[in-house]
Amino acid sequence: MAETYDPLDFEFEDSIPTSPVAKKKKKLIDLDDLLEDYQKEQKKINEKKSKRTKIRKVSEGEDEFDDATEARLAECVDKCEKEAQTFTICINQVGGDDAMPVWCIQVFGDQKIFPQQEYPDEKSCVLLQSFINHELNSLVELNIEEGEKFLEGLLADGWLLNLVYTCGSVERSIATWIFNLMLYSSNKTLVTAACDFWCTILNTKDKADLSNIKIDWLPRYLDFRRALENYGFLLSSPPTSSSDVDMVHSEVEELLCIIVSFFLDRQLLGLSVILYECMLSTLNFFRYEEWHDSCDKIATSLANRSPRDINCLRVVESIVGVDTRSKQLRSSVAFQFLVVILDEKVSDAEETLRLLISINVKEKNCDLFKIYICLNLAENWLFLDLSLKENKSVQRLWGIFLQNCACGITINDSRSYASNVRKMHLFLPSTTLTFVTLVFKMTYKNQIKCTGSLYSIISSSRNSHVIILQVHALECSKS
């Protein structure tokens, strides 16, 4: 039997009322509305244009202001630079130090054609034959017929030096070949090997097994001189004829002059230490009784071959050392340069100083650069000569010359090197001065009363209120 279902409660509920959808009515747009919209848009556009115009005018005004400001600033900077340059020129003319010229001369010029290498004859060379006939060669089987390559290989690998150790001698042909190879070879390896060979052979102090080696040939001065000429050395002096003993001394003197002249070339500054060692070795060659005469000859030769300008000071300064001979040579070279520059025949120290005193530094045509060089040379000459340092007459004349340089050139002197000469005496060693230099710093409140014999007022400075006085006897008290 079929079941009957009663209706549910929600089926009896009223249905939800729905509102009818309102239909949109299309609005009609007439010409007035279009005209109004057009005017609004046009007004917005005009406002934007107006704003842009104002912004452009403001920016252009700012640019014009910036350009004007920049122009005024640039004009002010140019004016300041011109004033600074003018001020600098005035300062340099009044009291500035002139730039010293740079020392340098070319020691070597154009090279000549180097001599061709002459290789020793393998068949006549006892050293090589002993090596070939050795029983070890049967194992190595070196080919001596290769000639040049064979010898160069022995030298570069160190076998040639070992052969010298074994045989105890260096033949003339081997020695000259290695020496010329050291001087003229373009192969750096062979040059280094040849140099090491000679350094080892000649250095017999530390190795006892080398003291018995017989050397059939040693390089002479003429060989070094010929090598310098081939390399274009420009400062050679003409050879002199003398006895064998005098020839040896003159050759060593000439060799020392050549070594010193190398210090004048800036391209050889890297060899300064080696050149200094060579100079000391050459100085020690002379005996005690020979040194005085040789020192004068070396100084005269250096003064005659070197330029008489700032380079002569470089020659003097290159002779450094604390040993007695170095000091004597430096003093003698400075004196000979002084004599050559003064271009007068002088016999002693007092006559030289009187000649310096006679120079009137106040004259406008006075060469103050020459005076500056003479001051430096005289200082080296007097300070390093012990006999002159204790000579009161010489020291008195030296003090007068310093006084002339200090008092004769005022602080307003605009001549070249005037300030350099005026200030030079302040840096000289106090042991070379006869008169006492006292410096007093003054202020507006303090006064200095000086009693005694006032010698001279050298210079004064208003800014620092410094007065430099030279006096014989001075007593000071403040009030």
Side-chain angles (χ1 to χ4, degrees):
M1 181 177 180
E3 294 182 359
T4 60
Y5 297 92
D6 295 330
L8 299 175
D9 294 338
F10 66 85
E11 292 180 358
F12 296 102
E13 293 179 355
D14 296 333
S15 59
I16 301 173
T18 56
S19 59
V21 178
K23 294 183 179 181
K24 292 183 179 179
K25 295 181 180 181
K26 294 182 178 181
K27 183 179 180 182
L28 296 179
I29 300 175
D30 52 10
L31 293 176
D32 294 335
D33 296 332
L34 292 175
L35 181 60
E36 185 180 356
D37 293 339
Y38 172 76
Q39 290 177 351
K40 290 181 179 179
E41 292 294 331
Q42 194 66 29
K43 186 178 180 181
K44 292 180 180 179
I45 293 173
N46 293 334
E47 290 178 355
K48 290 181 179 179
K49 288 183 178 180
S50 178
K51 291 180 179 179
R52 290 176 182 174
T53 303
K54 291 180 179 180
I55 293 173
R56 189 181 297 111
K57 289 182 179 180
V58 172
S59 61
E60 290 177 357
E62 291 178 353
D63 293 339
E64 292 178 358
F65 177 77
D66 293 340
D67 295 339
T69 304
E70 185 177 356
R72 289 194 298 269
L73 182 60
E75 183 180 356
C76 183
V77 170
D78 294 338
K79 183 178 179 181
C80 292
E81 288 181 352
K82 292 179 181 180
E83 291 179 354
Q85 292 176 359
T86 305
F87 179 75
T88 303
I89 293 174
C90 294
I91 289 298
N92 291 334
Q93 290 178 350
V94 172
D97 294 344
D98 294 275
M100 285 294 165
V102 180
W103 62 265
C104 181
I105 63 172
Q106 186 178 359
V107 175
F108 290 95
D110 297 332
Q111 296 182 1
K112 298 180 180 180
I113 299 176
F114 291 161
Q116 295 182 351
Q117 294 289 340
E118 295 182 0
Y119 290 85
D121 186 7
E122 297 87 351
K123 296 181 180 179
S124 61
C125 182
V126 179
L127 184 66
L128 295 178
Q129 289 297 328
S130 63
F131 176 71
I132 295 300
N133 297 330
H134 198 277
E135 58 182 6
L136 293 177
N137 187 43
S138 60
L139 301 176
V140 183
E141 295 182 357
L142 295 176
N143 186 7
I144 195 174
E145 295 179 358
E146 293 181 357
E148 299 176 1
K149 294 183 179 179
F150 174 75
L151 288 173
E152 292 176 354
L154 287 179
L155 177 63
D157 296 335
W159 283 99
L160 197 58
L161 189 58
N162 292 330
L163 284 177
V164 171
Y165 290 161
T166 303
C167 299
S169 64
V170 181
E171 295 179 66
R172 180 183 180 87
S173 59
I174 294 293
T176 55
W177 171 68
I178 297 177
F179 180 76
N180 292 327
L181 200 66
M182 179 183 64
L183 293 178
Y184 305 115
S185 177
S186 58
N187 190 326
K188 293 183 179 180
T189 303
L190 294 178
V191 171
T192 303
C195 185
D196 293 339
F197 178 89
W198 273 109
C199 290
T200 305
I201 292 298
L202 297 177
N203 187 16
T204 60
K205 294 182 179 180
D206 300 331
K207 298 182 180 180
D209 54 345
L210 295 178
S211 59
N212 296 325
I213 294 178
K214 179 183 177 182
I215 304 176
D216 295 340
W217 180 87
L218 286 173
R220 300 170 299 171
Y221 168 75
L222 292 178
D223 298 306
F224 288 104
R225 185 184 179 90
R226 190 180 301 112
L228 289 173
E229 292 175 354
N230 290 331
Y231 277 97
F233 186 65
L234 301 175
L235 301 181
S236 295
S237 62
T240 58
S241 58
S242 56
S243 62
D244 293 340
V245 178
D246 294 337
M247 178 66 71
V248 173
H249 286 85
S250 62
E251 288 176 353
V252 178
E253 292 165 3
E254 174 67 15
L255 182 60
L256 184 56
C257 292
I258 292 173
I259 294 173
V260 174
S261 64
F262 284 163
F263 286 96
L264 291 173
D265 198 331
R266 288 185 174 272
Q267 296 181 351
L268 303 179
L269 281 177
L271 303 177
S272 298
V273 176
I274 298 176
L275 293 176
Y276 172 71
E277 294 176 353
C278 294
M279 182 174 61
L280 288 182
S281 299
T282 311
L283 285 174
N284 294 327
F285 168 82
F286 301 96
R287 295 188 180 93
Y288 177 78
E289 60 274 9
E290 302 168 346
W291 169 243
H292 182 73
D293 293 337
S294 295
C295 180
D296 293 338
K297 293 179 181 178
I298 295 169
T300 304
S301 179
L302 284 172
N304 291 330
R305 75 173 65 192
S306 303
R308 296 153 194 180
D309 50 18
I310 198 67
N311 289 286
C312 69
L313 298 182
R314 171 61 180 174
V315 173
V316 175
E317 292 172 357
S318 64
I319 306 173
V320 295
V322 296
D323 57 299
T324 304
R325 290 191 176 185
S326 296
K327 293 180 180 179
Q328 290 175 350
L329 180 60
R330 179 164 177 162
S331 175
S332 182
V333 170
F335 175 72
Q336 292 299 330
F337 268 121
L338 193 60
V339 172
V340 171
I341 290 176
L342 294 176
D343 197 19
E344 296 286 345
K345 293 183 178 180
V346 292
S347 58
D348 56 10
E350 293 186 11
E351 187 176 353
T352 304
L353 289 173
R354 288 192 179 96
L355 189 60
L356 289 174
I357 294 172
S358 65
I359 300 175
N360 188 3
V361 295
K362 295 181 180 181
E363 293 182 356
K364 293 183 178 180
N365 296 329
C366 181
D367 189 354
L368 295 182
F369 181 63
K370 176 181 176 181
I371 300 298
Y372 176 81
I373 293 179
C374 290
L375 271 170
N376 281 274
L377 293 175
E379 186 266 332
N380 280 278
W381 162 47
L382 297 174
F383 181 67
L384 296 175
D385 194 327
L386 298 179
S387 60
L388 297 179
K389 287 176 65 175
E390 299 176 357
N391 191 323
K392 294 182 179 180
S393 177
V394 171
Q395 292 299 315
R396 181 181 62 83
L397 294 174
W398 173 236
I400 295 174
F401 177 58
L402 290 179
Q403 175 216 349
N404 292 345
C405 294
C407 300
I409 303 174
T410 63
I411 193 172
N412 296 325
D413 198 326
S414 60
R415 291 178 294 173
S416 298
Y417 305 103
S419 61
N420 301 84
V421 176
R422 188 180 66 252
K423 297 175 182 178
M424 178 66 191
H425 74 286
L426 297 177
F427 301 98
L428 297 179
S430 58
T431 54
T432 63
L433 298 178
T434 303
F435 305 103
V436 181
T437 301
L438 298 177
V439 179
F440 299 97
K441 293 186 177 180
M442 302 177 60
T443 62
Y444 292 109
K445 297 180 180 179
N446 295 332
Q447 295 179 351
I448 297 181
K449 292 183 178 181
C450 303
T451 60
S453 58
L454 179 64
Y455 192 76
S456 63
I457 298 179
I458 299 176
S459 62
S460 62
S461 174
R462 296 179 180 178
N463 295 329
S464 58
H465 311 289
V466 175
I467 296 180
I468 302 175
L469 303 172
Q470 280 190 331
V471 296
H472 286 300
L474 189 63
E475 296 178 358
C476 304
S477 62
K478 293 184 179 181
S479 62

